[in-house]
């Protein structure tokens, strides 16, 4: 028997990871009692909407990272590189979202002809068919007969009622436009060296269209765009599986929580329902607190009536939050801001903390493909098995795309764990624990001991 070469040994190891991670994912689906999802499914699997899918997400991260790495090794490099560029799925997805393909097809579970679908959405028939065929290659829509299409489990995300679909809408319509001027901003004298929000690629792209409004001013003037954005932020949380923290942190051992930059309560509302013993303070700007009042009165009025939840206006760049609480939680807050502002936010929280208080920063965390000696052994970072890239490669695709999104939109960024530790240290905080939730991480900080 011929002995395997070192490259072949690595290929076999990747194949083993693909096999074992796929079987782990299958096992997670079977645990629900509903079996594995079908490629032809026209309904969601119960696990698709579950809030605690950490095991499935870990298996998926391994699976995606390993098979992309295997493909990059075995496929001709011309093929792989052009696959980076030949990807117009975002444009086709945007058409499907804005024309409401999935909403129309929902009324025809046996399928609808392209002719009738195009007529229903007032688009050209042949062009509609080309969009549908491109997406159906990826399992989004299915051609059940010649020129007859139905929804699939993937295309259901594109229905107008779906929050993740709103996030896809925001990205495919707006962020793609800002990405299109990236190189121009990197060589422009005014924009290239600046990290100010006023010099983000979004601003450059909008100026080319004669628009000078800030991102938030743009949102205020366009009701539809604002609704898509806010619902999209809920979809972003669903996509990133941020609700896993409801199950992975020891909330039963704390009594009070401050949700800093809470919005209308996307995190604190399910937290209050799962842990009714908690006293929760929501902090955000006054106009947001008005929206939050309406949301809580609609979805959980008892939490307000019995005093378990308080809605307190607060500007985290200027004000000190409610004092002496057990947990100060910040979800997708720090990544919006430059280091100076991020440090200010944490300093204000530090002033409010009691001796046993903790700060939980819930964000994406970047981990480079080159592994420094010792990294991950003490900080709680998960490291992929060899021969995978230590940061899981394409299994971490979403994290690095979100980092680019923050750049394009606000000239901000996701950070490495070391960068977050430096910011926290400047505010008098020290890292004590990391919770790897796949896609996002929750980092626990306490008052630094002098």
């Amino acid at each position: 028997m011929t002995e395997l070469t070192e490259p072949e040994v690595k290929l076999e190891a990747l194949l083993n990871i693909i096999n074992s991670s796929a079987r782990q994912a299958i096992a997670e689906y079977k645990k629900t009692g509903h079996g594995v999802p079908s490629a032809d499914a026209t309904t969601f699997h119960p696990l698709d909407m579950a809030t605690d899918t950490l095991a499935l997400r870990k298996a998926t991260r391994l699976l995606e990272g390993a098979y992309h790495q295997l493909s990059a090794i075995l496929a001709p490099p011309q093929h792989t590189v052009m696959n980076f560029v030949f990807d117009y799925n975002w444009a086709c997805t945007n058409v499907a979202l804005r024309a409401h393909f999935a909403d129309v097809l929902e009324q025809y579970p046996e399928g609808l002809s392209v002719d009738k679908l195009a007529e229903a959405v007032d688009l050209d028939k042949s062009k509609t068919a080309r969009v549908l065929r491109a997406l159906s290659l990826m399992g989004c829509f299915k051609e059940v007969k010649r020129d007859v299409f139905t929804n699939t489990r993937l295309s259901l995300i594109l229905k107008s009622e779906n929050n993740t679909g709103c996030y896809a809408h925001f990205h495919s319509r707006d962020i793609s436009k800002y990405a299109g001027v990236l190189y121009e901003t990197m060589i422009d004298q005014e924009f290239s060296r600046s990290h100010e929000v006023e010099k983000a690629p979004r601003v450059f792209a909008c100026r080319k269209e004669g628009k000078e409004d800030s991102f938030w001013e743009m949102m205020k003037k366009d009701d539809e765009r604002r609704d898509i954005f806010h619902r999209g932020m809920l979809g972003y949380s669903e996509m990133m599986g941020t609700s896993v923290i409801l199950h992975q942190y020891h909330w039963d051992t704390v009594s009070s929580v401050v949700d800093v930059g809470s919005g209308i309560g996307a995190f604190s509302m399910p937290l209050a329902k799962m842990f009714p013993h908690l006293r929760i303070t929501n902090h955000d700007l006054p106009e947001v607190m008005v929206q939050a009042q309406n949301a809580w009165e609609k979805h959980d009025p008892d939490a307000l009536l019995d005093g378990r939840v308080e809605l307190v206006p607060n500007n985290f760049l200027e004000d000190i939050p409610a004092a002496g609480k057990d947990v100060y939680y910040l979800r997708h807050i720090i990544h919006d801001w430059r280091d100076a502002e991020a440090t200010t936010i944490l300093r204000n929280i530090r002033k409010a903390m009691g001796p046993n208080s903790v700060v939980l920063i819930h964000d994406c965390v970047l981990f480079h493909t080159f592994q420094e000696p010792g990294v991950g052994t003490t900080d709680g970072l998960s490291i992929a098995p060899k021969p995978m890239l230590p940061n899981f490669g394409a299994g971490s695709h979403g994290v690095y795309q979100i980092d680019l999104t923050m750049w394009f939109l606000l000239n901000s960024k996701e950070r490495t764990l070391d960068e977050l530790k430096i910011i926290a240290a400047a505010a008098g905080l020290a890292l004590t624990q990391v919770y790897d939730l796949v896609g996002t991480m929750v980092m626990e900080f306490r008052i630094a001991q002098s």
Side-chain angles (χ1 to χ4, degrees):
M1 183 174 179
T2 305
E3 187 174 340
L4 295 178
T5 64
E6 183 179 351
E8 289 174 320
V9 170
K10 290 182 178 180
L11 291 177
E12 290 296 331
L14 289 171
L15 286 169
N16 287 336
I17 293 170
I18 291 170
N19 185 54
S20 62
S21 58
R23 292 192 180 283
Q24 178 60 44
I26 291 169
E28 290 302 314
Y29 280 108
K30 286 186 172 181
K31 285 179 184 177
T32 67
H34 293 271
V36 297
S38 165
D40 300 329
T42 56
T43 59
F44 288 122
H45 189 280
L47 199 56
D48 294 339
M49 299 300 140
T51 57
D52 189 9
T53 56
L54 186 57
L56 176 62
R57 295 176 66 82
K58 286 184 175 181
T60 303
R61 179 171 64 180
L62 279 169
L63 179 62
E64 290 183 332
Y67 75 62
H68 276 284
Q69 192 168 331
L70 183 70
S71 177
I73 294 170
L74 295 179
Q78 304 93 321
H79 170 87
T80 301
V81 170
M82 286 313 299
N83 275 347
F84 299 163
V85 181
F86 281 154
D87 188 351
Y88 303 120
N89 290 324
W90 62 268
C92 293
T93 300
N94 185 249
V95 171
L97 283 161
R98 297 172 76 171
H100 306 292
F101 285 1
D103 294 280
V104 175
L105 290 176
E106 182 74 1
Q107 304 170 47
Y108 301 92
E110 301 302 317
L112 184 67
S113 70
V114 168
D115 288 359
K116 291 183 179 178
L117 175 61
E119 183 179 351
V121 299
D122 194 24
L123 293 178
D124 180 81
K125 296 174 184 178
S126 64
K127 293 177 182 178
T128 298
R130 291 164 76 179
V131 168
L132 284 166
R133 290 198 178 99
L135 291 175
S136 65
L137 289 177
M138 312 307 294
C140 188
F141 302 110
K142 181 184 179 182
E143 191 170 14
V144 291
K145 290 189 290 188
R146 179 69 180 269
D147 293 329
V148 176
F149 288 84
T150 62
N151 273 325
T152 64
R153 177 167 157 252
L154 271 63
S155 68
L156 293 177
I157 295 292
L158 307 186
K159 290 177 61 178
S160 56
E161 66 190 32
N162 191 282
N163 292 331
T164 304
C166 287
Y167 190 59
H169 191 158
F170 170 61
H171 263 261
S172 58
R173 180 180 64 178
D174 295 335
I175 303 299
S176 60
K177 186 189 306 181
Y178 312 150
V181 299
L182 183 60
Y183 181 69
E184 293 176 73
T185 67
M186 294 179 72
I187 61 173
D188 181 87
Q189 186 173 0
E190 181 184 358
F191 281 73
S192 61
R193 309 292 182 193
S194 176
H195 296 275
E196 302 286 338
V197 65
E198 296 83 5
K199 299 296 184 289
R202 185 202 72 81
V203 176
F204 191 96
C206 289
R207 281 188 186 178
K208 292 179 73 171
E209 298 179 351
K211 300 175 182 177
E212 296 289 340
D213 288 342
S214 72
F215 176 72
W216 300 113
E217 288 170 342
M218 181 176 70
M219 288 292 140
K220 287 181 181 179
K221 292 180 179 179
D222 190 328
D223 291 343
E224 181 194 16
R225 184 176 254 108
R226 184 173 64 250
D227 179 62
I228 288 172
F229 174 75
H230 284 299
R231 288 182 54 207
M233 290 302 97
L234 296 175
Y236 167 71
S237 295
E238 294 168 9
M239 176 194 74
M240 299 301 286
T242 53
S243 293
V244 171
I245 191 58
L246 296 170
H247 305 271
Q248 298 298 321
Y249 193 72
H250 49 88
W251 300 107
D252 54 336
T253 67
V254 301
S255 60
S256 56
V257 178
V258 179
D259 189 356
V260 180
S262 62
I264 63 174
F267 164 72
S268 53
M269 203 171 291
L271 181 68
K273 290 180 178 179
M274 286 183 65
F275 300 95
H277 73 281
L278 289 174
R279 297 287 170 168
I280 300 172
T281 304
N282 277 12
H283 279 330
D284 214 311
L285 297 173
E287 59 268 29
V288 179
M289 288 292 91
V290 172
Q291 294 176 299
Q293 181 78 28
N294 294 333
W296 281 91
E297 288 177 353
K298 179 179 179 179
H299 298 291
D300 194 359
D302 290 342
L304 294 178
L305 291 173
D306 61 23
R308 289 186 293 114
V309 174
E310 290 185 289
L311 309 179
V312 182
N314 180 281
N315 182 333
F316 49 53
L317 290 170
E318 300 174 0
D319 304 326
I320 297 172
K325 304 300 182 180
D326 294 335
V327 174
Y328 294 83
Y329 178 82
L330 302 92
R331 184 165 77 177
H332 309 317
I333 300 296
I334 298 301
H335 76 168
D336 286 342
W337 301 94
R338 298 177 307 164
D339 289 358
E341 287 85 356
T343 302
T344 295
I345 294 168
L346 294 179
R347 278 180 179 153
N348 285 336
I349 294 173
R350 168 64 183 85
K351 293 173 184 177
M353 293 171 69
N356 297 313
S357 300
V358 301
V359 177
L360 299 181
I361 297 177
H362 193 168
D363 260 324
C364 296
V365 176
L366 302 180
F367 180 25
H368 299 308
T369 52
F370 176 77
Q371 183 183 347
E372 296 283 356
V375 170
T377 57
T378 57
D379 286 333
L381 291 172
S382 297
I383 297 177
K386 294 180 178 181
M388 289 180 64
L389 296 172
N391 65 355
F392 297 89
S396 296
H397 173 81
V399 173
Y400 287 81
Q401 298 306 300
I402 296 297
D403 176 52
L404 294 174
T405 298
M406 300 310 298
W407 177 8
F408 302 159
L409 187 62
L410 298 171
N411 225 0
S412 57
K413 63 180 183 178
E414 305 298 345
R415 294 175 171 88
T416 65
L417 188 57
D418 282 342
E419 288 173 327
L420 287 165
K421 287 163 67 176
I422 290 170
I423 292 171
L429 301 172
L431 180 71
T432 53
Q433 192 164 352
V434 174
Y435 298 82
D436 178 9
L437 306 182
V438 182
T440 63
M441 293 189 185
V442 171
M443 292 137 287
E444 181 186 82
F445 293 87
R446 294 181 182 269
I447 296 173
Q449 301 301 311
S450 55

